[in-house]
Amino acid sequence: MSDNYFPLATLYMPDAFEYKDGRLMGRHAAGLSYLRAIAEGEYDSAGFLIPDKTHNDNFIKAFSQLVLKDKKLRVEIFNYDKLNNSNKYGGLFIHDPQIGNFGLYRSKFGNSSFSIVGITHTTMSMGVINFISDLYSKPAMEWDALVCTSPSVKSSIMKIVDYQEEFLKNKFQAKKFPRPQLPIIPLGIHSRDFNFSLSQRDNARKEMGINEDDVVLIFVGRLSFHAKAHPFAMYKALDYASKILKKDQKIHLIQAGWFPNDFIENVFVDEARQVCPDVICHFVDGRKNNIKMNSLAASDIFISLSDNFQETFGITPLEGMASNLPVIVSDWNGYRATVRDGIDGFTIPTTSLEKGDGVEMAYNYLTNLNNYDHYIGYASQTVSIDIELCSKKIIELILNKDLRKKFGDAGRKYAEEVFEWRVITNHYNSLAKELESIRIANKNGNTQNFIEVIDPYNYFDTYSTNKLTKNTIISSNSLKSITNNHYIISSKTIRLNDNPINFRCDIDIVNSILSSVEEKPLSVGNISLQIGLNEEKLKKYIILMLKFDLLRL
């Protein structure tokens, strides 16, 4: 692995980078932002694992648009048949937590052939919890890593890790618990995107009908009361704040995001009208980058009072900080790892229930009495935010323009110094080197190959009467040759489709095999020598020719 020239090879699955049907999630934004960091980074080469070859062209088109105009970057695309190419890039970055499954794939090439790096996004679903449990039941190794985007995420993951280790200790008297590394590396931003000019600010405010003395707060993100942030605390705090405004001054709230459906949209609009009637609410489509950027440019304060257990990091407060805005956020999971209370803005205390109070809720989800949407929705109902304090902090910022500037300047500097992608990718480079040193030190460790286990001729080895080996004697069925009209060449039952993975008979090879045993029976090994075809491929031909009555044992 070359210093600073190769990023980790990146698994490219469109679902991790591209959103469909307007459903933009945080993982999509984070994934695309990471791709851009590779495209703009100081790298000579980059590797991408694209499992489905049909996506190759789409990836090339999308990625090439991210590469800077005068930059040259050598890109290697490989599929699962060349998975081991990840080695030259120091490992494979998979953009989700399923290190265990990729460990199974890797075992074909050797468990120490390269490192696998996963990352956490939401950690509440059973799917993700199972991926974390897989760190013990599947070949996730010590030279792999599951990146936690915040200390709060790592704390959550350690609950599953601790349970698994205790379980293995009790059931198997296990004493050693090797597992992947769990480094804390935040998500990154491209801070230069948020350099807004005064004219851009003035034009954006004019377009939205915002007067110079008006104060604008902005929320950016999915507009969902059960899956992102219930708006009541924000609306109510703004309602309190609206009472202290001087004459002719207004509070504007821009909510830049998207609604999952019409029902939720109607709820947001109606409740804003009921709870904060004196606040002018703007609902804009935050999926459109120009609208989102103009909205941030027009704003004075960023606000996000997340109360959802799905949230693990929260990239939007960083975007607010990079936009030179003071930020007001709930003191909630990853938010507290990015926003410094009293320096970049204010963190508002949250309250929830204690250990043991959610056992029934979790059981109902586990047993499918409640689906995931209900589960996250019910859980978010049990999180409260200090609305009174929030309103006081909003008022403090409304009344103190100098404080807004002080917080905004501090936040922007912090975002650039700590969360800029250039800084974050250096963390990944350091991680790759650390994993490589662990891997090299353990290269003679676990050599189990899971793919060999599920090889159907091993897994079901007791099913057949005979096995075709290099010593098996093959005899003629009196046929000297066949034509293209023969069943083994023409039948659609043999070549089910044109997928290149499917084995397809070459008529010349079939006829050369028939010719080799025409005079006398030969072993598979001798046929291989006579016709110059390797035994592995020859055996596929012979078994098919036996199946369709062209040869005899």
Side-chain angles (χ1 to χ4, degrees):
M1 184 179 64
S2 176
D3 292 352
N4 297 322
Y5 291 102
F6 296 164
L8 290 162
T10 299
L11 171 68
Y12 181 82
M13 302 279 281
D15 183 58
F17 303 94
E18 303 170 9
Y19 63 93
K20 296 180 179 179
D21 304 321
R23 303 183 68 80
L24 174 63
M25 305 292 189
R27 60 189 175 86
H28 297 128
L32 188 59
S33 189
Y34 179 83
L35 272 189
R36 183 179 160 196
I38 294 177
E40 296 181 359
E42 296 180 0
Y43 298 116
D44 292 332
S45 300
F48 294 91
L49 168 63
I50 304 183
D52 188 339
K53 292 181 180 180
T54 62
H55 294 140
N56 285 9
D57 290 342
N58 289 338
F59 165 76
I60 292 169
K61 181 179 179 181
F63 186 71
S64 61
Q65 293 174 351
L66 300 175
V67 179
L68 299 177
K69 185 178 180 181
D70 298 325
K71 179 179 173 61
K72 290 184 178 180
L73 180 65
R74 188 167 55 252
V75 172
E76 177 188 9
I77 292 175
F78 54 95
N79 305 113
Y80 276 131
D81 57 342
K82 297 288 191 295
L83 180 63
N84 200 35
N85 285 10
S86 302
N87 176 276
K88 71 177 77 170
Y89 300 97
L92 177 67
F93 185 38
I94 61 174
H95 283 282
D96 65 30
Q98 55 174 321
I99 298 171
N101 285 337
F102 276 83
L104 294 176
Y105 310 157
R106 177 183 58 189
S107 68
K108 178 179 185 290
F109 305 93
N111 290 311
S112 61
S113 56
F114 59 88
S115 295
I116 302 167
V117 177
I119 191 170
T120 57
H121 291 294
T122 183
T123 54
M124 198 176 186
S125 72
M126 275 310 301
V128 171
I129 290 170
N130 287 336
F131 287 152
I132 298 169
S133 299
D134 285 348
L135 301 181
Y136 291 98
S137 60
K138 292 177 180 176
M141 315 305 280
E142 292 172 276
W143 47 88
D144 299 326
L146 178 58
V147 172
C148 305
T149 53
S150 70
S152 295
V153 173
K154 184 168 182 176
S155 175
S156 299
I157 288 174
M158 288 304 300
K159 300 290 195 305
I160 305 298
V161 165
D162 290 343
Y163 169 84
Q164 284 295 98
E165 292 187 358
E166 188 66 24
F167 171 77
L168 294 171
K169 188 186 299 181
N170 292 333
K171 186 167 184 177
F172 302 112
Q173 288 76 55
K175 295 180 180 179
K176 290 182 65 179
F177 304 100
R179 54 175 161 82
Q181 309 303 306
L182 298 172
I184 298 172
I185 303 177
L187 298 176
I189 58 168
H190 300 281
S191 58
R192 72 173 185 273
D193 292 351
F194 303 91
N195 290 330
F196 304 122
S197 65
L198 288 176
S199 61
Q200 187 175 357
R201 177 183 186 273
D202 292 342
N203 290 337
R205 289 172 77 95
K206 186 176 180 180
E207 286 178 11
M208 301 184 80
I210 300 168
N211 296 325
E212 181 57 36
D213 287 341
D214 292 350
V215 177
V216 182
L217 291 92
I218 184 170
F219 169 90
V220 178
R222 189 161 29 131
L223 299 170
S224 172
F225 52 80
H226 81 288
K228 185 66 176 180
H230 199 290
F232 179 83
M234 179 171 64
Y235 290 167
K236 193 64 179 176
L238 287 172
D239 182 59
Y240 286 141
S242 68
K243 311 302 182 192
I244 59 90
L245 297 177
K246 54 188 180 180
K247 190 177 181 182
D248 297 328
Q249 189 180 33
K250 292 289 186 181
I251 291 178
H252 294 253
L253 173 63
I254 301 174
Q255 294 173 80
W258 58 277
F259 296 104
N261 54 53
D262 291 342
F263 169 76
I264 292 177
E265 180 177 3
N266 291 334
V267 168
F268 268 78
V269 173
D270 290 346
E271 295 204 353
R273 191 180 298 118
Q274 293 173 24
V275 179
C276 52
D278 295 326
V279 175
I280 300 172
C281 288
H282 308 260
F283 295 95
V284 300
D285 191 345
R287 293 167 298 188
K288 297 178 179 178
N289 196 57
N290 63 320
I291 292 177
K292 171 183 161 181
M293 291 303 186
N294 281 336
S295 298
L296 284 165
S299 299
D300 300 298
I301 301 167
F302 178 92
I303 185 168
S304 183
L305 304 179
S306 176
D307 58 4
N308 203 279
F309 291 93
Q310 276 203 124
E311 190 70 73
T312 54
F313 180 74
I315 199 74
T316 57
L318 287 178
E319 295 179 341
M321 291 158 66
S323 300
N324 219 74
L325 300 178
V327 296
I328 296 176
V329 297
S330 49
D331 186 35
W332 185 249
N333 57 52
Y335 280 14
R336 67 165 59 100
T338 55
V339 179
R340 300 169 297 177
D341 187 50
I343 299 176
D344 312 306
F346 297 116
T347 58
I348 309 302
T350 57
T351 304
S352 191
L353 303 180
E354 64 179 339
K355 177 181 176 181
D357 290 337
V359 169
E360 184 176 358
M361 188 188 303
Y363 179 78
N364 289 345
Y365 168 55
L366 184 64
T367 56
N368 293 314
L369 289 172
N370 290 326
N371 64 29
Y372 183 65
D373 252 14
H374 292 152
Y375 180 43
I376 59 175
Y378 294 156
S380 71
Q381 297 289 345
T382 67
V383 179
S384 70
I385 293 166
D386 190 331
I387 296 173
E388 181 182 15
L389 180 62
C390 185
S391 67
K392 288 179 179 178
K393 296 304 181 184
I394 292 173
I395 290 169
E396 187 175 347
L397 288 175
I398 287 175
L399 297 178
N400 194 334
K401 194 172 183 178
D402 290 339
L403 184 62
R404 296 207 301 265
K405 185 177 186 310
K406 178 184 175 183
F407 283 172
D409 290 344
R412 177 162 182 83
K413 183 179 179 184
Y414 191 49
E416 290 175 340
E417 292 179 349
V418 177
F419 300 101
E420 178 65 43
W421 268 118
R422 178 191 67 258
V423 178
I424 302 304
T425 52
N426 283 337
H427 291 318
Y428 275 95
N429 291 343
S430 298
L431 173 63
K433 293 173 187 175
E434 178 188 346
L435 298 179
E436 184 177 46
S437 64
I438 298 172
R439 181 164 51 87
I440 290 172
N442 292 273
K443 63 182 178 181
N444 296 320
N446 188 325
T447 58
Q448 289 178 289
N449 182 345
F450 179 71
I451 311 303
E452 287 181 348
V453 174
I454 61 168
D455 167 0
Y457 312 115
N458 172 62
Y459 194 27
F460 305 108
D461 72 330
T462 61
Y463 279 33
S464 67
T465 309
N466 302 306
K467 300 289 186 295
L468 191 65
T469 72
K470 67 182 297 181
N471 297 317
T472 301
I473 303 300
I474 303 299
S475 63
S476 171
N477 188 23
S478 74
L479 276 174
K480 293 182 180 181
S481 65
I482 63 169
T483 67
N484 282 319
N485 293 325
H486 192 281
Y487 187 88
I488 198 171
I489 302 296
S490 63
S491 175
K492 292 180 180 179
T493 67
I494 299 172
R495 194 177 74 197
L496 298 179
N497 58 47
D498 289 328
N499 189 315
I501 293 174
N502 278 11
F503 182 71
R504 299 165 70 175
C505 275
D506 183 308
I507 190 170
D508 292 334
I509 294 178
V510 171
N511 284 332
S512 65
I513 294 170
L514 289 175
S515 177
S516 70
V517 295
E518 182 181 352
E519 293 184 5
K520 64 176 182 178
L522 292 176
S523 69
V524 171
N526 283 332
I527 296 172
S528 174
L529 292 172
Q530 185 166 318
I531 70 171
L533 188 67
N534 71 68
E535 285 184 18
E536 183 181 359
K537 189 169 184 180
L538 174 63
K539 286 166 74 175
K540 292 180 179 178
Y541 272 90
I542 289 177
I543 199 69
L544 204 60
M545 292 169 72
L546 286 168
K547 183 178 182 73
F548 294 105
D549 199 32
L550 289 175
L551 294 173
R552 292 278 191 267
L553 284 180

